[in-house]
């Protein structure tokens, strides 16, 4: 609700720092994104990423979602041979494909026509997952297809179980079988 407004979210020192005199109440500062994680950030292992992505055929399930699309944005900079965008939503798939093509064009990166492969499909369909993984000889799968909005899933628990639990199982089995 507040996101579009020109507001800054600030934080003050914690109570123990104020009581000890270590900090003053007027020492306010903007909140850093890392503070919202609730844990220490984990830095990516560049060697592992390179070995799993560079010159490999990479598939991202849920490619049009919030996490999947960010994975795709990062993967294209790590030189995969092909990037398979696997997504159940036609509009989300269309959007992420166009965004990635624009990013590649802006970076003046010329790639073969079959570099980005947009694939409509659901992780609830193991046969479809296997068919795509076999057809494109996928080396690495990043599984991001999941319902992540907790209140919606709480109102639709069966769909949450089918998609998040069984979809993950089917993605893992498809990867294992190919």
């Amino acid at each position: 609700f507040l996101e579009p407004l020109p507001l800054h979210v600030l934080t003050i020192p914690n109570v123990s720092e104020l009581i000890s005199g270590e900090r003053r109440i007027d020492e306010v500062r903007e909140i850093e994104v890392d503070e919202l994680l609730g844990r220490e950030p984990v830095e990516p292992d560049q060697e592992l990423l390179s070995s799993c992505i560079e010159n490999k055929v990479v598939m991202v399930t849920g490619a049009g979602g919030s996490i999947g699309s960010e994975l795709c944005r990062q993967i294209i900079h790590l030189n995969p041979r092909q990037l398979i965008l696997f997504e159940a939503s036609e509009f989300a798939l269309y959007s992420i494909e166009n965004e990635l093509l624009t990013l590649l064009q802006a970076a003046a990166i010329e790639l073969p026509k079959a570099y980005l492969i947009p694939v409509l499909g659901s992780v609830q369909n193991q046969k479809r997952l296997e068919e795509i993984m076999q057809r494109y000889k996928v080396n690495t799968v990043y599984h991001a297809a999941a319902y992540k909005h907790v209140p919606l899933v709480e109102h639709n628990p069966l769909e949450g179980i089918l998609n998040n639990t069984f979809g993950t199982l089917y993605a893992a089995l498809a990867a294992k079988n190919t």
Side-chain angles (χ1 to χ4, degrees):
F1 177 73
L2 296 175
E3 190 173 3
L5 302 176
L7 299 174
H8 295 273
V9 179
L10 304 174
T11 184
I12 61 172
N14 68 44
V15 175
S16 63
E17 291 174 321
L18 294 172
I19 292 172
S20 71
E22 193 178 324
R23 308 273 304 276
R24 296 188 342 226
I25 191 72
D26 63 348
E27 292 182 46
V28 296
R29 62 177 176 75
E30 288 202 24
I31 293 178
E32 299 293 324
V33 172
D34 291 349
E35 293 178 83
L36 301 176
L37 278 175
R39 61 170 172 77
E40 289 297 312
V42 177
E43 293 300 317
D45 181 336
Q46 294 303 323
E47 189 176 315
L48 177 63
L49 287 172
S50 179
S51 69
C52 292
I53 296 173
E54 192 173 344
N55 202 31
K56 305 278 192 223
V57 178
V58 179
M59 178 173 165
V60 177
T61 68
S66 57
I67 294 171
S69 61
E70 183 57 31
L71 282 170
C72 292
R73 287 182 203 102
Q74 292 184 31
I75 288 168
I76 63 170
H77 296 291
L78 297 172
N79 304 314
R81 185 168 61 244
Q82 271 185 319
L83 179 54
I84 314 299
L85 311 171
F86 192 85
E87 174 59 54
S89 164
E90 177 191 17
F91 181 73
L93 182 59
Y94 172 81
S95 297
I96 189 60
E97 179 189 23
N98 282 325
E99 180 186 339
L100 295 174
L101 288 170
T102 301
L103 287 172
L104 291 166
Q105 189 174 33
I109 299 172
E110 289 204 28
L111 296 162
K113 185 170 175 55
Y115 173 74
L116 286 180
I117 310 290
V119 177
L120 276 171
S122 169
V123 292
Q124 294 181 45
N125 184 339
Q126 184 179 340
K127 282 187 118 154
R128 177 78 169 142
L129 286 162
E130 288 178 7
E131 169 197 327
I132 297 305
M133 288 180 196
Q134 288 170 358
R135 180 186 308 165
Y136 295 103
K137 298 176 176 51
V138 171
N139 302 110
T140 304
V141 177
Y142 289 93
H143 176 56
Y147 296 141
K148 298 166 187 78
H149 298 90
V150 175
L152 284 175
V153 176
E154 286 176 340
H155 283 88
N156 300 279
L158 182 56
E159 288 301 315
I161 290 167
L162 288 171
N163 194 69
N164 295 5
T165 304
F166 287 101
T168 298
L169 173 65
Y170 299 149
L173 289 173
K176 179 183 173 225
N177 294 340
T178 55

